[in-house]
Amino acid sequence: MIESLRAYGYSLNTAIADLIDNSISANAKNIWIHMYWDGSSSWISIADDGSGMDEATLKNAMRPGSSNPLDERPKSDLGRFGLGLKTASFSQCRSLSVASKVTGANTYLRRWDLDYVGQHNEWRLLKYARENSESRFNQLEELEHGTVVLLENLDRLCADQDPKDISRRRKFFDRIDSLSQHISMIFHRFMEGSSGLNIYINGHDDEHKLKPWDPFLSTKDATSPQPEEKKAFQDGVVTVKGYVLPHKDKLGSDEHEQAAGPGGWNDQQGFYVYRNKRLLVAGSWLGLGGRRHGWTKEEHYKLARIKVDIPNNMDSAWQIDVKKSAAIPPPLVSGWLEEYAGHVRKEAREVFSHRGQYGQRTKKAEIIRLWKTGTRGGSQIYKVDRRSDLVRHILDNAGDLKPDIESLLRVLEETVPVQQIWLDMAEHAERSNEPLGGLSEAEVMALVETTLAALVGADRTPTESNIDYICNMEGFAAYADIIRAKYLGVSR
């Protein structure tokens, strides 16, 4: 059975996150994670300054199934099954040691060694550390109370590996980078604020302290928060609040890269389900959206992220698993979430399509676009809008060239490289450009001048109505204040 407890499907990231849950439940203010490379003798420790455990409590905590998932728990409790400490640890190692102390008491230690259990064929919980491992608990001596969890014999990570193997060592430390990102995301709401939880990796100073990763860029002015809604369910309340993140043109390059998150922009879209502020699901449409498989993650919805908060008495209804890495909304909630998400997705698509012209942007009905979409024979087509004032005026004044211009427009419409555009966006989304992007202000104003001349005639002075028309055109709308300052004398 104890070997079976290793098969819950934890990754290193989800395993360490599960162990951090125990530290938070113990009211820790500081958590120190240490990952030490020594080939097959590598080890990982998680220390905290939480309330600690006396000998009886520690012994019970080491017992598989130490709590009943049906029992009522404190609202702040992040556990459920009484398995997390054991299953998370065993998923990575064959030796689990836990040392703990409460204020004014001695330090107590207990250890599971899977090889020892196998050899003796009995559940014998050891009271001593592995040989030469005692010093790895020294941090407890500096704390008034707290706990150290030590994972050794990391057979899933470092079995039979040479400490001098550079490639293996590099891979081990790459896992530290991945773990740092994961923890910063999962526990960001605990870490935020000046009095928030401090989590350190391989050090005790600010250089090694993790920074919280806010999926919603909630402090960014260009982020568009959506109305919060609540729904009573069972004996609690489900809360949902959507965010439409800024278009990349509203972010600096470093900000844009940071906001992408561990999985990248496309992968991080969707719902973020929290239980007691602890993130369970980080970017998923939860199978909602109708059809056979629900909504898929698509480029034009990547700016949509939706926060869902549930209390811990809904674990069963939401089918929370042992790893706390999955959640399925119950039927009485899923329809409500789908309707809410539909509005957020629509707004996110709007921002993505219109290159960040949101917040104080002109309403969609007032934006003048020279392209329009339609269908023909069941296929999507794109056409130049002949009814727009600019195109109509140019065609009306083209004289003998009108048939040639019409033919050129038709050829361009029939050869829009739609598939290539989508392929480029999928592979190199970061290279997408806003209208007039990369042009200097002088180049933009030169284009405004020629466009105005085409609209009103080279020998006529544009009216305020003409200027308003130009200022509402897609692309030029971003320069409206500059255009009005030049032609109407209106201050920026």
Side-chain angles (χ1 to χ4, degrees):
M1 179 178 176
I2 204 167
E3 290 289 344
S4 299
L5 291 176
R6 312 191 74 197
Y8 274 87
Y10 283 92
S11 65
L12 174 65
N13 291 352
T14 55
I16 300 301
D18 211 341
L19 297 177
I20 290 175
D21 286 342
N22 295 329
S23 298
I24 294 175
S25 294
N27 300 312
K29 299 298 182 184
N30 297 280
I31 299 173
W32 300 272
I33 301 167
H34 197 101
M35 292 183 63
Y36 184 83
W37 166 255
D38 190 20
S40 56
S41 298
S42 300
W43 52 271
I44 300 172
S45 69
I46 300 93
D48 68 58
D49 59 358
S51 55
M53 294 176 280
D54 59 23
E55 187 173 22
T57 304
L58 173 59
K59 182 178 178 180
N60 184 63
M62 295 294 278
R63 182 166 57 88
S66 56
S67 63
N68 188 335
L70 300 180
D71 289 344
E72 186 174 347
R73 292 164 289 143
K75 292 182 179 180
S76 59
D77 185 16
L78 298 180
R80 180 187 177 195
F81 297 95
L83 287 170
L85 170 63
K86 285 71 67 173
T87 55
S89 301
F90 293 154
S91 73
Q92 308 300 314
C93 72
R94 298 191 65 80
S95 175
L96 162 64
S97 304
V98 180
S100 190
K101 72 174 182 179
V102 298
T103 303
N106 295 327
T107 296
Y108 295 97
L109 184 147
R110 291 293 186 273
R111 175 165 67 96
W112 281 119
D113 189 306
L114 302 194
D115 293 331
Y116 186 97
V117 171
Q119 291 166 7
H120 294 80
N121 196 30
E122 62 179 358
W123 294 85
R124 185 176 296 179
L125 185 60
L126 306 176
K127 297 182 179 181
Y128 53 87
R130 295 182 88 200
E131 186 177 358
N132 300 321
S133 295
E134 294 85 356
S135 62
R136 295 167 191 173
F137 300 98
N138 286 348
Q139 187 173 353
L140 269 180
E141 298 176 7
E142 304 170 7
L143 300 173
E144 183 180 349
H145 44 75
T147 301
V148 174
V149 176
L150 178 63
L151 312 183
E152 299 173 291
N153 194 359
L154 304 173
D155 63 325
R156 297 283 173 88
L157 292 176
C158 311
D160 302 321
Q161 292 185 10
D162 184 347
K164 298 179 181 179
D165 188 326
I166 301 301
S167 63
R168 296 287 188 179
R169 182 180 184 275
R170 184 182 300 114
K171 186 174 182 180
F172 183 84
F173 283 100
D174 284 344
R175 290 179 180 272
I176 297 178
D177 293 337
S178 173
L179 176 62
S180 299
Q181 286 187 315
H182 185 74
I183 292 173
S184 296
M185 174 177 68
I186 297 299
F187 299 102
H188 75 95
R189 292 173 70 180
F190 292 93
M191 300 164 67
E192 290 165 352
S194 57
S195 60
L197 174 69
N198 299 313
I199 303 180
Y200 303 83
I201 288 192
N202 284 4
H204 293 70
D205 55 18
D206 286 344
E207 181 182 350
H208 296 91
K209 184 168 75 171
L210 300 183
K211 295 180 175 59
W213 180 73
D214 175 11
F216 313 110
L217 294 185
S218 53
T219 61
K220 188 75 177 175
D221 290 341
T223 297
S224 179
Q226 306 299 298
E228 181 179 277
E229 293 187 12
K230 296 178 181 291
K231 184 177 182 64
F233 178 69
Q234 292 186 339
D235 294 326
V237 174
V238 179
T239 304
V240 60
K241 183 175 181 60
Y243 296 83
V244 176
L245 273 59
H247 188 274
K248 77 179 188 67
D249 298 313
K250 299 292 183 179
L251 300 171
S253 57
D254 290 343
E255 285 182 314
H256 185 261
E257 182 179 354
Q258 174 69 14
W265 276 97
N266 268 17
D267 194 56
Q268 298 289 171
Q269 67 183 265
F271 289 102
Y272 286 69
V273 181
Y274 296 82
R275 187 188 65 173
N276 297 346
K277 300 196 303 183
R278 198 269 201 202
L279 184 58
L280 303 177
V281 175
S284 168
W285 291 117
L286 302 178
L288 304 180
R291 301 177 186 173
R292 185 173 179 181
H293 300 294
W295 288 320
T296 57
K297 293 184 176 181
E298 301 176 61
E299 180 77 12
H300 45 282
Y301 295 119
K302 69 181 183 181
L303 303 181
R305 295 178 184 175
I306 304 171
K307 178 169 64 177
V308 179
D309 278 301
I310 64 173
N312 66 4
N313 64 349
M314 295 185 185
D315 285 1
S316 179
W318 281 75
Q319 301 180 50
I320 308 301
D321 66 353
V322 173
K323 304 192 304 292
K324 288 169 278 190
S325 60
I328 301 174
L332 292 177
V333 174
S334 59
W336 169 65
L337 288 177
E338 183 173 318
E339 182 179 3
Y340 184 91
H343 294 297
V344 179
R345 282 165 56 91
K346 182 179 179 181
E347 179 70 9
R349 190 183 194 283
E350 200 59 22
V351 171
F352 176 82
S353 300
H354 303 141
R355 284 96 170 181
Q357 296 301 318
Y358 60 104
Q360 297 299 319
R361 71 182 185 272
T362 308
K363 293 181 180 179
K364 180 179 178 182
E366 297 175 358
I367 288 289
I368 299 167
R369 299 183 178 86
L370 302 184
W371 285 89
K372 63 179 183 178
T373 61
T375 57
R376 184 179 62 204
S379 299
Q380 192 78 28
I381 61 173
Y382 302 87
K383 298 177 68 68
V384 174
D385 188 0
R386 306 295 200 280
R387 294 177 298 177
S388 68
D389 289 354
L390 178 62
V391 177
R392 180 170 49 79
H393 187 85
I394 290 175
L395 290 175
D396 288 346
N397 291 279
D400 294 340
L401 287 177
K402 182 175 181 178
D404 296 335
I405 296 175
E406 283 279 14
S407 295
L408 175 62
L409 293 178
R410 182 66 185 275
V411 170
L412 291 174
E413 292 167 343
E414 296 295 333
T415 57
V416 174
V418 176
Q419 292 181 334
Q420 185 63 47
I421 291 171
W422 274 106
L423 182 62
D424 291 341
M425 286 297 298
E427 295 181 347
H428 307 289
E430 72 282 357
R431 298 182 188 175
S432 62
N433 195 18
E434 64 175 351
L436 309 180
L439 297 184
S440 66
E441 183 176 313
E443 291 173 313
V444 172
M445 295 309 293
L447 187 56
V448 169
E449 186 173 343
T450 56
T451 304
L452 270 173
L455 180 64
V456 303
D459 56 346
R460 295 180 58 192
T461 302
T463 65
E464 184 172 349
S465 176
N466 299 141
I467 301 302
D468 285 341
Y469 178 85
I470 291 292
C471 288
N472 285 332
M473 284 182 62
E474 185 174 21
F476 290 144
Y479 298 86
D481 55 343
I482 303 173
I483 297 170
R484 288 194 170 96
K486 176 177 180 178
Y487 289 97
L488 301 177
V490 178
S491 171
R492 296 190 188 189

